[in-house]
Amino acid sequence: MKIMIAYDGSRNAKLALAQVVNMFRCNQPLLVLVGVVENPLDATDNNEALFQQEYDEVKQHLQEGVAFATGEGFQAEQLLAEGDARKMLLQATRKLAPDLLVIARHSHQPDGGIIAKSLTYFVDELDYMTFGSVSSFLARRAECPLLILPSP
């Protein structure tokens, strides 16, 4: 069994990895952690430096995620892609044909107040309607089962 996990080192991605480890421990699947770095919009030195910084950070997060998974007794690999996260994750599923793709739902943690929660909900809905999201994009296009883990 092969499980692909969209992994960027964020709090939600780390929680998703931990949940996958707990849920699938008895199956001992191969875990493939996929990180995506967006290409710079232009080729200026400043953008190239920012891109390289993001690339290094995502690579480090992937290495930490793989180390966590192997420490839990799993076989784990990493894949680092460059481009639009939605398209790169979709392309990775087509290339690697995982039995399951796992992604964590993105969230902006509100401060806990009702106004902040309402505003966050409104912004999330507006973002979904206007730009779409990685999870909704993959839910419509992925050719493998997709598990979207909620953020606590």
Side-chain angles (χ1 to χ4, degrees):
M1 177 179 217
K2 184 188 312 180
I3 297 177
M4 182 180 291
I5 304 170
Y7 194 82
D8 61 1
S10 67
R11 174 185 170 273
N12 290 347
K14 290 177 182 178
L15 291 171
L17 176 57
Q19 287 178 300
V20 166
V21 164
N22 288 333
M23 287 191 297
F24 295 97
R25 186 176 302 279
C26 63
N27 298 79
Q28 290 295 307
L30 168 64
L31 301 181
V32 181
L33 281 65
V34 181
V36 180
V37 180
E38 299 220 14
N39 292 324
L41 297 176
D42 61 48
T44 64
D45 288 342
N46 191 36
N47 273 347
E48 187 60 35
L50 291 173
F51 171 79
Q52 190 61 47
Q53 179 183 352
E54 183 181 356
Y55 182 93
D56 293 341
E57 288 174 3
V58 171
K59 186 175 180 181
Q60 178 65 33
H61 291 310
L62 286 171
Q63 291 170 345
E64 291 168 0
V66 167
F68 170 76
T70 55
E72 293 291 322
F74 286 78
Q75 290 182 332
E77 299 174 356
Q78 67 185 38
L79 174 65
L80 182 54
E82 297 175 21
D84 181 287
R86 300 168 303 165
K87 294 176 183 176
M88 293 298 101
L89 289 168
L90 182 61
Q91 185 177 12
T93 62
R94 290 178 175 161
K95 181 180 179 182
L96 300 176
D99 297 298
L100 179 66
L101 171 61
V102 177
I103 59 176
R105 189 168 55 206
H106 180 72
S107 70
H108 303 283
Q109 281 226 285
D111 64 4
I114 187 69
I115 293 173
K117 287 181 182 178
S118 298
L119 286 174
T120 298
Y121 177 75
F122 174 73
V123 169
D124 285 346
E125 286 301 309
L126 182 62
D127 183 48
Y128 172 76
M129 291 184 300
T130 308
F131 306 109
S133 68
V134 174
S135 58
S136 64
F137 179 89
L138 292 170
R140 291 188 305 269
R141 291 173 178 84
E143 298 169 0
C144 64
L146 173 65
L147 175 60
I148 303 171
L149 295 171
S151 55

